[in-house]
Amino acid sequence: MPVQKGVLPLGILCIKKITQLLIDIVSMCIYETMKERKSPENTKEQQVSSHEENQHYVNTKLEMDHDQKRIEQEEACAFNRQNTELDGTHGNGQQKTEEENVHSHAITAEDTNKQPIKSDNIDEHEIHEVIINDENAAKLENNQELLYGCIQCSLETENTANENIEKEIQLERTPEALRQELSQLLTSHSHVTLHGLLFDSIMTHLDPIYMRDKRGRPAVLDIIMHFINSTLRELDFGKAKMFSEANMCKILFEHLQNATRLEKLIIGRSCYWRSQIFENLSSKLICMPHLTVLKIQYIGTPEMICDLSGICPKLSELSLRGSEKITDQQCKEIAQCTGLTSLDISGTRITGRGCWKILDSVKNLSWLHHCAFNCNSDSLLFESRADLFNCIKEQLYHGENALSLVNRPDLSIRDVRFNLKNFWLFNPFTEDLLTTVLCPYLEHLRLDFIFQDLEDEPDVSTLASLSEIRKLEANLYDRCSLHLISNMVESCGERLTTLLLHLADDWFFVAQAHNVVASCCPNLVTLNFSGDYKARHSVEECDDRLDFGIPTPAHPHLKHLKLIGVISDRRLHFILSHTPALETLRMDGELEWLHDATFTAVLKTNPLPYLEEMWFNVSTTVTLDTVRLLLTQDNALRHIGRLCHMAGATMGEYQELLSQVRQQNLDVKLIWVTDERIK
């Protein structure tokens, strides 16, 4: 059985309680706003006005129906006269009926203007009828006066009650004052960790309120504003939807100078349409000498990073991703930030020459991110990462301080080292791969291949010299070359902890790549395998290429597995038999060859005790029986989705599973479509 819900730690419980208190305060403010819009004075005026309008309507209608009602009155009197001519045996009963009928007709004529009935021949019954009508009219007038008095009394009572409530609020504290006092108390002297946890919790819970109800926005703005102070260490404008809303974004920026000890500032894509708010960002950065991480993505301008090295001397990570206005002219400014260890200039107009200037000046730069396929590319941008290293080679061999290996046989190319830990080569030749010896600390290597543009496959044996490599990403976009994949994985697979393979080809040709990975990568923690699809061969033929003779477990440390493509019963069984420590399993692509029996068989040999997440991201033949089976296993499941894609799944069965989770107090989230649908 999955883990049951436990007791929350005291600190987290306090955070939740404080958050709920602030939410209640916002709700009070929303209520107060509604009450102000409908104040007692306005209510009284509206009710009196409404009463006058109703009275006018009644009088008008009575005047319009007066003639018709007089006709009905006369018909009633004629009917009464006929009844008086009956014999005496029925006289008493008929007289009673007559009076009831007269009374009934008199009631239907209520609220009429009392006009005297003029007739030359008025008998006793007619006089009685007139008297009854006069009496009912008098009663109606009295009832109207009584009704008006009740309304007036009700209004006075409501006004008195509202006045008393307002006096009590004034005598105590208004919600606005309470909110400000509480916010200041929580944020002015709180511990850094408490401040961060509380800020994150409040953002998560107030974000939907702010976006849903405009009446609560002033209160939320006031609360959030108090958190922008010297205790704040991190501010991400993309962390909540409300932060990109115009008023909130403006308020946050206006108070940004109060965050004098801010260490991390992120302004991302969500603020693209608010870029004018951040035009004077440099004036705010002056107040943040402790800033170590600055991300100005998609809105960066030369003015924003003016004298950046002087005002943010501790800066170690800078991202200008997607900022088209950043060009080679800003490279000198960036190069002066000598403490940088990570730089993202993908989507800018910085060329290979500019990259070299930065690399040559910032000796500690380890992570340089520049997209080889830039959607904003023009003639100034190099087409691939290889161009950057070609530029480096040119400087090494032909620049002012060029190295002459011919004249200095005792000097090897390894004497020139860069601290780069990542780079990306597109369709590299063998000589391009040789530049990796310039980066002995390389940890992450990405290689992309389109074989129709390559004359020969490159020699990748140089990867064996990368002693620090931990992550290899290989994308083969137009066919699977098992020879190339085998050479790459065999060269460095033993040191890899992350392997991302995208092999766009028939599952028949891709299957054997699993054998290579299982044989050469014993230390993998993360494996993503995608791109394969069924085309010319049957699934059975493809599965036959899997080597079930490889000793298990081949991946004893693998925690995260993502499969996108053909996922057959035998393929999943092969992989899961090698992954006893698996924590997350994500499946996408073609799952129609996957059945419940596979999971039943796998769980008998590998119960997946550490499994926390399982995802079926497309329709599958697997049913909810597998979910029920997993809920009975001894594992660490926290998420199972998406149940709507499972064969024959109905909302009724989903509700039954939810009820089972609640009854057993399981700490599991069953996801029908997305996380957001489950609250």
Side-chain angles (χ1 to χ4, degrees):
M1 182 179 296
V3 178
Q4 292 185 332
K5 293 182 179 179
V7 179
L8 290 174
L10 181 59
I12 300 299
L13 186 61
C14 291
I15 293 292
K16 288 181 174 292
K17 291 296 183 182
I18 294 173
T19 301
Q20 186 59 50
L21 176 59
L22 292 177
I23 292 174
D24 293 342
I25 291 175
V26 172
S27 301
M28 289 173 59
C29 293
I30 294 175
Y31 170 76
E32 289 296 321
T33 303
M34 295 173 62
K35 192 175 71 172
E36 288 175 0
R37 291 183 179 180
K38 191 176 181 180
S39 62
E41 292 78 7
N42 293 337
T43 303
K44 179 179 179 180
E45 293 174 1
Q46 290 173 0
Q47 290 182 354
V48 172
S49 175
S50 176
H51 169 69
E52 293 176 351
E53 291 177 358
N54 291 338
Q55 183 61 37
H56 176 71
Y57 170 78
V58 171
N59 293 335
T60 303
K61 178 150 181 58
L62 288 175
E63 291 175 359
M64 293 175 63
D65 296 339
H66 180 68
D67 293 338
Q68 180 64 28
K69 289 184 178 181
R70 287 197 60 181
I71 293 174
E72 293 175 357
Q73 232 180 15
E74 292 175 359
E75 290 177 350
C77 291
F79 178 77
N80 292 335
R81 282 197 299 270
Q82 291 177 1
N83 289 337
T84 57
E85 296 174 0
L86 296 176
D87 55 29
T89 57
H90 301 286
N92 294 334
Q94 290 296 333
Q95 181 66 26
K96 184 176 180 180
T97 302
E98 172 189 352
E99 292 178 357
E100 291 175 353
N101 288 334
V102 171
H103 180 68
S104 174
H105 284 285
I107 292 176
T108 61
E110 286 180 352
D111 294 343
T112 59
N113 296 328
K114 274 75 73 182
Q115 297 183 5
I117 301 176
K118 297 181 180 180
S119 176
D120 295 335
N121 301 316
I122 301 178
D123 60 13
E124 179 182 358
H125 297 287
E126 289 175 328
I127 293 173
H128 179 69
E129 174 69 19
V130 172
I131 292 173
I132 290 176
N133 287 337
D134 289 342
E135 290 177 354
N136 287 328
K139 290 180 180 179
L140 175 62
E141 184 175 358
N142 292 333
N143 289 337
Q144 287 178 340
E145 292 178 356
L146 180 62
L147 177 62
Y148 297 155
C150 290
I151 292 175
Q152 185 68 23
C153 180
S154 176
L155 289 173
E156 291 176 355
T157 302
E158 183 178 353
N159 292 341
T160 303
N162 288 328
E163 289 174 0
N164 291 336
I165 291 174
E166 290 178 353
K167 288 179 180 179
E168 290 177 3
I169 292 176
Q170 291 174 357
L171 288 174
E172 296 177 358
R173 280 172 293 180
T174 63
E176 291 81 359
L178 179 61
R179 184 180 69 251
Q180 291 183 5
E181 182 179 344
L182 181 59
S183 297
Q184 291 174 350
L185 180 64
L186 291 173
T187 61
S188 58
H189 302 292
S190 60
H191 188 273
V192 171
T193 302
L194 172 62
H195 187 281
L197 291 173
L198 185 57
F199 189 37
D200 288 343
S201 178
I202 287 173
M203 278 193 297
T204 302
H205 290 85
L206 292 186
D207 185 49
I209 297 176
Y210 186 90
M211 300 305 295
R212 182 179 61 247
D213 196 334
K214 293 184 177 180
R215 292 169 299 188
R217 290 187 176 183
V220 177
L221 282 169
D222 189 39
I223 290 174
I224 297 297
M225 177 185 66
H226 289 298
F227 281 87
I228 312 302
N229 56 30
S230 59
T231 312
L232 187 65
R233 294 295 184 267
E234 179 179 340
L235 179 60
D236 184 354
F237 278 81
K239 201 163 188 177
K241 290 182 179 180
M242 64 180 177
F243 283 0
S244 59
E245 190 272 331
N247 290 333
M248 175 69 80
C249 192
K250 185 177 180 181
I251 290 294
L252 289 177
F253 184 74
E254 288 177 351
H255 290 79
L256 198 55
Q257 69 273 8
N258 296 333
T260 55
R261 300 191 66 85
L262 196 68
E263 297 175 356
K264 188 174 182 179
L265 175 62
I266 302 175
I267 306 171
R269 186 191 291 270
S270 61
C271 295
Y272 179 80
W273 301 108
R274 313 292 180 199
S275 58
Q276 69 280 1
I277 295 177
F278 301 93
E279 290 178 351
N280 298 322
L281 180 62
S282 60
S283 63
K284 303 291 184 179
L285 295 179
I286 295 175
C287 305
M288 306 174 193
H290 302 280
L291 204 65
T292 59
V293 177
L294 176 61
K295 296 183 180 182
I296 315 172
Q297 299 174 343
Y298 302 94
I299 65 169
T301 63
E303 292 75 20
M304 291 182 184
I305 61 173
C306 181
D307 193 25
L308 187 60
S309 60
I311 59 181
C312 299
K314 297 183 179 181
L315 199 64
S316 62
E317 182 177 347
L318 175 63
S319 175
L320 300 169
R321 174 188 292 268
S323 300
E324 297 181 350
K325 296 181 180 180
I326 303 298
T327 67
D328 280 349
Q329 295 181 1
Q330 282 70 57
C331 288
K332 182 179 180 180
E333 186 69 55
I334 297 173
Q336 292 177 357
C337 298
T338 56
L340 285 180
T341 58
S342 177
L343 175 64
D344 189 346
I345 52 175
S346 55
T348 66
R349 295 183 182 273
I350 295 177
T351 68
R353 300 286 178 180
C355 285
W356 166 254
K357 182 181 296 186
I358 295 172
L359 280 171
D360 193 37
S361 301
V362 186
K363 302 300 183 182
N364 293 323
L365 188 60
S366 300
W367 301 94
L368 177 61
H369 302 278
H370 197 302
C371 182
F373 301 101
N374 189 348
C375 60
N376 300 318
S377 296
D378 59 16
S379 58
L380 295 176
L381 282 171
F382 50 85
E383 295 181 357
S384 72
R385 179 75 57 153
D387 287 353
L388 169 60
F389 283 87
N390 286 336
C391 178
I392 293 175
K393 287 188 293 184
E394 180 182 350
Q395 295 292 330
L396 290 174
Y397 294 109
H398 306 291
E400 295 179 358
N401 300 318
L403 299 176
S404 175
L405 301 183
V406 177
N407 299 328
R408 297 277 305 278
D410 59 320
L411 182 64
S412 70
I413 197 170
R414 276 190 171 275
D415 291 318
V416 179
R417 297 183 177 184
F418 295 92
N419 287 315
L420 284 179
K421 294 183 179 180
N422 74 302
F423 69 83
W424 173 9
L425 290 173
F426 174 71
N427 268 351
F429 298 105
T430 300
E431 62 177 3
D432 295 322
L433 288 170
L434 287 174
T435 59
T436 56
V437 299
L438 298 173
C439 306
Y441 308 113
L442 199 66
E443 295 181 8
H444 176 196
L445 174 63
R446 173 174 173 177
L447 301 174
D448 290 357
F449 298 93
I450 298 180
F451 294 102
Q452 65 180 6
D453 298 331
L454 281 176
E455 295 181 1
D456 300 303
E457 290 184 2
D459 180 4
V460 296
S461 60
T462 185
L463 301 184
S465 64
L466 300 176
S467 60
E468 301 297 326
I469 191 167
R470 296 295 180 267
K471 180 177 179 180
L472 175 64
E473 181 176 359
N475 300 296
L476 283 62
Y477 291 110
D478 52 353
R479 68 178 175 86
C480 175
S481 171
L482 184 62
H483 178 265
L484 180 61
I485 289 294
S486 298
N487 288 340
M488 284 193 292
V489 175
E490 289 173 358
S491 296
C492 60
E494 189 174 356
R495 296 183 293 280
L496 294 178
T497 58
T498 300
L499 178 61
L500 313 178
L501 290 179
H502 180 80
L503 309 179
D505 210 335
D506 192 307
W507 167 226
F508 181 82
F509 299 101
V510 172
Q512 292 185 87
H514 273 298
N515 300 333
V516 177
V517 173
S519 301
C520 303
C521 303
N523 296 308
L524 283 183
V525 176
T526 300
L527 172 61
N528 289 2
F529 208 122
S530 65
D532 52 89
Y533 53 89
K534 179 180 179 294
R536 299 180 297 277
H537 299 81
S538 68
V539 174
E540 290 75 17
E541 290 179 293
C542 301
D543 289 342
D544 287 340
R545 298 171 72 89
L546 294 170
D547 185 0
F548 283 86
I550 298 175
T552 59
H555 306 302
H557 309 293
L558 192 68
K559 295 182 178 180
H560 311 291
L561 174 63
K562 184 175 183 180
L563 298 174
I564 302 176
V566 175
I567 307 179
S568 63
D569 289 326
R570 292 186 67 190
R571 182 183 188 183
L572 187 65
H573 192 283
F574 172 81
I575 298 173
L576 294 185
S577 64
H578 290 286
T579 57
L582 195 65
E583 294 180 1
T584 63
L585 173 60
R586 292 178 176 266
M587 295 171 286
D588 203 340
E590 301 182 32
L591 309 184
E592 59 266 33
W593 293 285
L594 194 60
H595 302 86
D596 291 327
T598 299
F599 289 94
T600 303
V602 167
L603 291 173
K604 290 180 179 179
T605 57
N606 179 14
L608 301 174
Y610 305 102
L611 187 66
E612 295 183 1
E613 293 188 16
M614 179 177 288
W615 293 84
F616 299 88
N617 286 330
V618 293
S619 297
T620 177
T621 51
V622 178
T623 70
L624 290 177
D625 288 339
T626 294
V627 177
R628 298 185 182 95
L629 178 62
L630 289 170
L631 292 178
T632 63
Q633 299 293 308
D634 185 11
N635 53 43
L637 267 175
R638 297 294 181 90
H639 299 83
I640 308 178
R642 310 176 177 184
L643 302 190
C644 67
H645 290 156
M646 306 190 78
T650 64
M651 184 56 69
E653 291 178 303
Y654 169 61
Q655 296 293 342
E656 291 178 3
L657 285 172
L658 286 179
S659 177
Q660 177 184 343
V661 168
R662 286 193 294 267
Q663 289 176 1
Q664 298 180 1
N665 194 36
L666 301 181
D667 192 11
V668 179
K669 181 180 290 186
L670 301 179
I671 300 164
W672 182 251
V673 180
T674 61
D675 277 324
E676 289 72 21
R677 294 288 298 273
I678 308 299
K679 301 298 183 184

